[in-house]
């Protein structure tokens, strides 16, 4: 159906939006094994005052969500903070897909089938799908970036300064929402201003945006009690490089295809431990236990996808003469987006899925333009077949694995503590940090992280008389996970000495063997 009339377009877009919501609800995860920061964010908007939520890396993200959460609470609706944030992500996931399709048809002039393929592949790509039901900043950021891209492309037909002012406000807001958004918004998209010869608008865009961004940081900085220079605060929130840049191709692939089921193969697990020694993977190994013979089906699906990809590449080379150069200008913007943002990630965070998710859109647009658009009539079957295979992989080997709470590693590990720990108790754990945040969200106890705060944990162990409640250990603290030992300077010897000096012993109060063991510290 050709979308011509606005009323028809609106009807189709609304239908598509609600279909996306139905899909997200149908596969809404009960298992939150893969959550990294979501419970930290949710605890923040639920428990912390506004001033503590202005993190330099995602400056407005948590204050904005806290305001929305409190606004919803005023209606009398009681909703869990974490799931509230997930619901917002779901809404913006649908909006992102609809808006992207509109850009692909209206401004990039893709065929309807190709535009649908790109949007559908984005919708069912594993990490976009998973983060569409997650308490995170990424999907909201993707929506705003796509919206700003559309407004930049409209500069060709709009000479209004109100349009430029709107771009300045949205650009500054999106950067304040998540600082790395600065890269596409101010290192890539301004090339569109220059192409349309909007030189004055180009200068105003940078100048006003800088005033909005720096001014917002400065206003909050003046309210902070902590010491430190303003520039340190303004440029704070960066990551320290961890991981091998050569593995980034595997990371990008795993953003599109769920590879969790691969943990069902011992050989693959060995490879992952070798290539990602800093990653804690006990959660994935436990999750993979529910995979039976399906892993062989999924291996076959992966092989078929690889074969189809090779066919697409060969076909694109043979039919390179039909590639439409009319879209080269916008594809150049996409290429610059991938190169600049990708180069930044290769230096700063090459092996984490989350930041690479922000490149999912330009990567898939390239995929559609170069490999799908040139398909002849005899090969049109490849596009829907490819989508079906990706959907099978990402449901059977991805989202479906997250539907059962019984395979949630964090839940199984903390179930007793959630039900029994009180606000007077201490829980000492090696983490990882995502597990620490999970405990802090679901329990009232004071959580001490042995990996990042061993000194404080040792202080508590040295002076247990100051603790009015119990001291619990979420695992055997004398045997840290290998990844913790690899990336940290945990001193197990000092723990042994402290136990001997104090005459401590531990009592197993919950767990199956050592995997989900919870101990209580017994003192003289």
């Amino acid at each position: 159906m050709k979308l011509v009339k606005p009323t028809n377009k609106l009807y189709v877009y609304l239908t598509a939006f609600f279909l996306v919501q139905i899909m997200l609800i149908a596969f809404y995860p009960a298992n939150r094994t893969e959550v990294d920061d979501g419970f930290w964010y949710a605890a923040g908007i639920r428990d912390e005052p506004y001033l503590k939520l202005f993190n330099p890396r995602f400056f407005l993200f948590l204050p904005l969500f806290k305001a929305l959460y409190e606004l919803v609470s005023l209606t009398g609706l009681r909703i869990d903070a974490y799931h509230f944030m997930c619901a917002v992500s779901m809404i913006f996931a649908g909006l992102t897909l609809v808006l992207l399709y509109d850009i692909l048809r209206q401004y990039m002039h893709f065929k309807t089938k190709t535009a649908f393929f790109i949007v559908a592949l984005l919708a069912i790509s594993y990490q976009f799908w998973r983060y569409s039901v997650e308490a995170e900043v990424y999907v909201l950021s993707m929506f705003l970036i796509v919206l700003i891209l559309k407004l930049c492309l409209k500069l060709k037909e709009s000479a209004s300064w109100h349009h430029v002012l709107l771009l300045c406000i949205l650009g500054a807001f999106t950067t304040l929402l998540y600082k790395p958004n600065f890269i596409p918004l101010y290192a890539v998209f301004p090339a569109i201003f220059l192409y349309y010869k909007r030189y004055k608008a180009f200068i105003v865009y940078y100048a006003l945006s800088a005033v909005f961004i720096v001014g917002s940081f400065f206003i909050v900085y003046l309210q902070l009690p902590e010491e430190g220079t303003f520039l340190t605060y303004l440029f704070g929130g960066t990551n320290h490089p961890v991981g091998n840049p050569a593995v980034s191709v595997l990371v990008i692939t795993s953003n599109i295809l769920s590879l969790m089921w691969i943990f069902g193969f011992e050989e693959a697990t060995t490879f992952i431990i070798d290539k990602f020694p800093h990653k804690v993977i006990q959660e994935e190994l436990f999750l993979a236990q529910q995979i039976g013979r399906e892993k062989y089906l999924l291996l076959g699906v992966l092989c078929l996808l690889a074969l189809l990809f090779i066919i697409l590449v060969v076909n694109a080379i043979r039919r390179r003469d039909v590639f439409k150069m009319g879209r080269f200008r916008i594809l150049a913007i996409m290429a610059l987006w991938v190169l600049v943002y990708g180069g930044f990630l290769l230096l700063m965070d090459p092996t984490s899925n989350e930041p690479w998710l922000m490149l999912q859109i330009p990567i898939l647009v390239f995929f559609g333009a170069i490999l799908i658009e040139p398909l002849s009539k005899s090969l049109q079957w490849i596009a829907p077949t490819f989508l079906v295979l990706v959907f099978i992989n990402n449901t059977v080997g991805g989202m479906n694995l997250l539907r059962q709470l019984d395979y949630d590693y964090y839940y199984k590990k903390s179930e007793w503590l959630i039900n029994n720990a009180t606000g007077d108790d201490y829980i000492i754990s090696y983490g990882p940090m995502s597990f620490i945040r999970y405990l802090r969200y679901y329990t009232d106890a004071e959580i001490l992280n042995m990996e990042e705060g061993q000194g404080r944990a040792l202080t508590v162990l040295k002076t247990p008389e100051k603790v009015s409640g119990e001291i619990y250990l979420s695992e055997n603290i004398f045997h840290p996970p290998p990844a913790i030992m690899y990336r940290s300077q945990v001193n197990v010897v000092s723990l042994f000495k402290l136990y001997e000096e104090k005459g401590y012993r531990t009592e197993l109060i919950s767990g199956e063997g050592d995997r989900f063991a919870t101990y209580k510290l017994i003192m003289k």
Side-chain angles (χ1 to χ4, degrees):
M1 180 179 68
K2 190 173 182 181
L3 304 179
V4 178
K5 296 181 180 180
T7 53
N8 290 343
K9 180 187 288 190
L10 179 61
Y11 173 78
V12 172
Y13 286 175
L14 283 174
T15 302
F17 173 81
F18 285 113
L19 286 175
V20 170
Q21 301 307 304
I22 291 171
M23 183 188 79
L24 296 178
I25 293 170
F27 288 91
Y28 192 79
N31 183 329
R32 295 291 174 168
T33 291
E34 292 204 291
V35 175
D36 287 322
D37 301 320
F39 291 109
W40 174 34
Y41 298 153
I45 72 166
R46 181 190 65 187
D47 303 327
E48 298 292 346
Y50 278 97
L51 195 57
K52 287 190 176 181
L53 299 179
F54 289 96
N55 185 296
R57 185 172 178 82
F58 36 87
F59 187 75
L60 287 182
F61 174 53
L62 295 182
L64 171 67
F65 270 78
K66 184 176 180 68
L68 292 173
Y69 180 65
E70 290 183 343
L71 185 63
V72 171
S73 299
L74 287 176
T75 66
L77 181 64
R78 298 184 63 183
I79 183 171
D80 178 84
Y82 175 77
H83 292 290
F84 167 76
M85 296 183 74
C86 294
V88 175
S89 290
M90 292 168 63
I91 292 170
F92 280 101
L95 293 174
T96 300
L97 295 169
V98 169
L99 184 59
L100 177 61
Y101 179 85
D102 190 67
I103 291 174
L104 294 174
R105 292 288 292 127
Q106 184 175 351
Y107 292 96
M108 301 188 73
H109 308 295
F110 277 104
K111 299 173 185 175
T112 302
K113 291 180 180 179
T114 308
F116 175 81
F117 176 90
I118 294 170
V119 171
L121 184 55
L122 176 63
I124 63 175
S125 62
Y126 180 63
Q127 292 296 347
F128 180 85
W129 191 349
R130 189 172 77 79
Y131 277 98
S132 294
V133 287
E134 185 52 79
E136 268 287 4
V137 69
Y138 301 111
V139 172
L140 174 56
S141 290
M142 293 172 82
F143 167 75
L144 290 169
I145 289 172
V146 172
L147 176 61
I148 291 169
L149 174 61
K150 181 174 182 178
L151 291 174
C152 286
L153 294 173
K154 289 183 72 173
L155 284 169
K156 181 179 181 180
E157 58 197 49
S158 174
S160 169
W161 280 103
H162 292 92
H163 188 94
V164 178
L165 178 60
L166 178 61
L167 274 171
C168 295
I169 294 172
L170 280 176
F173 174 77
T174 306
T175 301
L176 290 169
L177 194 73
Y178 179 54
K179 191 177 286 184
N181 291 340
F182 176 89
I183 298 171
L185 300 184
Y186 295 99
V188 179
F189 292 176
I192 300 174
F193 285 76
L194 299 179
Y195 179 76
Y196 291 142
K197 298 181 180 180
R198 299 295 305 275
Y199 303 121
K200 291 182 180 178
F202 174 85
I203 296 172
V204 170
Y205 178 64
Y206 273 111
L208 268 185
S209 296
V211 170
F212 291 148
I213 294 169
V214 177
S216 298
F217 269 91
F218 188 69
I219 291 171
V220 173
Y221 173 76
L222 293 177
Q223 315 303 316
L224 296 175
E226 293 88 353
E227 296 181 357
T229 66
F230 172 65
L231 289 179
T232 301
Y233 180 62
L234 178 64
F235 293 106
T238 56
N239 290 336
H240 298 290
V242 176
N244 182 0
V247 189
S248 57
V249 175
L250 179 60
V251 175
I252 294 171
T253 302
S254 67
N255 273 356
I256 298 173
L257 298 173
S258 169
L259 300 178
M260 283 197 298
W261 55 271
I262 288 180
F263 286 96
F265 292 96
E266 185 177 345
E267 299 82 358
T269 300
T270 303
F271 171 82
I272 293 169
I273 292 173
D274 179 58
K275 296 298 181 181
F276 300 86
H278 63 289
K279 295 287 187 180
V280 178
I281 63 169
Q282 284 92 335
E283 308 98 307
E284 287 81 2
L285 292 176
F286 179 63
L287 189 68
Q289 288 184 6
Q290 60 187 305
I291 302 173
R293 293 182 178 179
E294 308 97 291
K295 64 185 179 184
Y296 298 106
L297 167 67
L298 294 169
L299 184 60
V301 168
L302 187 62
C303 292
L304 287 174
L305 282 168
L307 177 61
L308 290 181
F309 181 76
I310 293 171
I311 294 173
L312 288 171
V313 172
V314 172
N315 178 73
I317 294 172
R318 287 178 176 176
R319 292 174 57 83
R320 58 187 178 276
D321 56 310
V322 302
F323 181 78
K324 296 181 179 179
M325 294 301 294
R327 284 196 301 274
F328 174 77
R329 294 180 294 274
I330 299 180
L331 286 179
I333 293 296
M334 297 289 173
L336 188 61
W337 186 354
V338 172
L339 290 174
V340 176
Y341 206 139
F344 170 79
L345 292 179
L346 287 174
L347 291 174
M348 300 303 298
D349 199 357
T351 61
S352 294
N353 290 92
E354 294 86 354
W356 284 103
L357 177 63
M358 299 303 296
L359 282 178
Q360 200 94 314
I361 288 176
I363 288 172
L364 294 185
V365 169
F366 264 106
F367 190 100
I370 297 173
L371 301 182
I372 301 300
E373 187 85 343
L375 285 176
S376 61
K377 288 185 178 180
S378 62
L379 294 177
Q380 288 292 322
W381 60 270
I382 292 179
T385 304
F386 195 92
L387 289 175
V388 169
L389 291 174
V390 171
F391 184 77
I392 292 172
N393 181 85
N394 291 348
T395 51
V396 178
M399 298 303 293
N400 198 55
L401 299 178
L402 300 175
R403 298 182 75 178
Q404 295 189 48
L405 189 61
D406 288 342
Y407 287 93
D408 188 327
Y409 186 85
Y410 292 164
Y411 174 76
K412 296 289 287 185
K413 189 175 179 180
S414 62
E415 185 177 7
W416 189 93
L417 292 169
I418 291 172
N419 293 326
N420 294 279
T422 70
D424 294 325
D425 299 331
Y426 280 79
I427 300 173
I428 298 176
S429 174
Y430 278 113
M433 195 63 204
S434 51
F435 179 62
I436 299 295
R437 291 164 177 167
Y438 185 90
L439 286 172
R440 286 174 179 164
Y441 187 76
Y442 282 113
T443 73
D444 295 324
E446 182 76 15
I447 315 299
L448 302 179
N449 185 358
M450 283 291 288
E451 180 183 7
E452 299 183 4
Q454 186 176 359
R456 190 176 173 212
L458 289 176
T459 299
V460 171
L461 290 172
K462 289 176 182 177
T463 57
E465 64 277 1
K466 295 182 180 180
V467 178
S468 57
E470 304 287 354
I471 298 177
Y472 297 113
L473 312 174
S474 69
E475 63 270 299
N476 187 335
I477 62 174
F478 298 118
H479 298 283
I484 303 295
M485 294 297 292
Y486 173 84
R487 67 193 188 193
S488 306
Q489 302 297 321
V490 175
N491 189 349
V492 178
V493 175
S494 62
L495 288 174
F496 273 110
K497 289 182 178 179
L498 179 60
Y499 262 59
E500 290 177 354
E501 292 173 1
K502 295 287 189 177
Y504 292 156
R505 63 184 179 86
T506 52
E507 174 188 343
L508 179 66
I509 55 175
S510 177
E512 308 164 5
D514 196 44
R515 182 169 54 184
F516 299 123
T518 298
Y519 300 90
K520 182 169 72 173
L521 187 68
I522 306 297
M523 297 159 277
K524 287 183 178 179

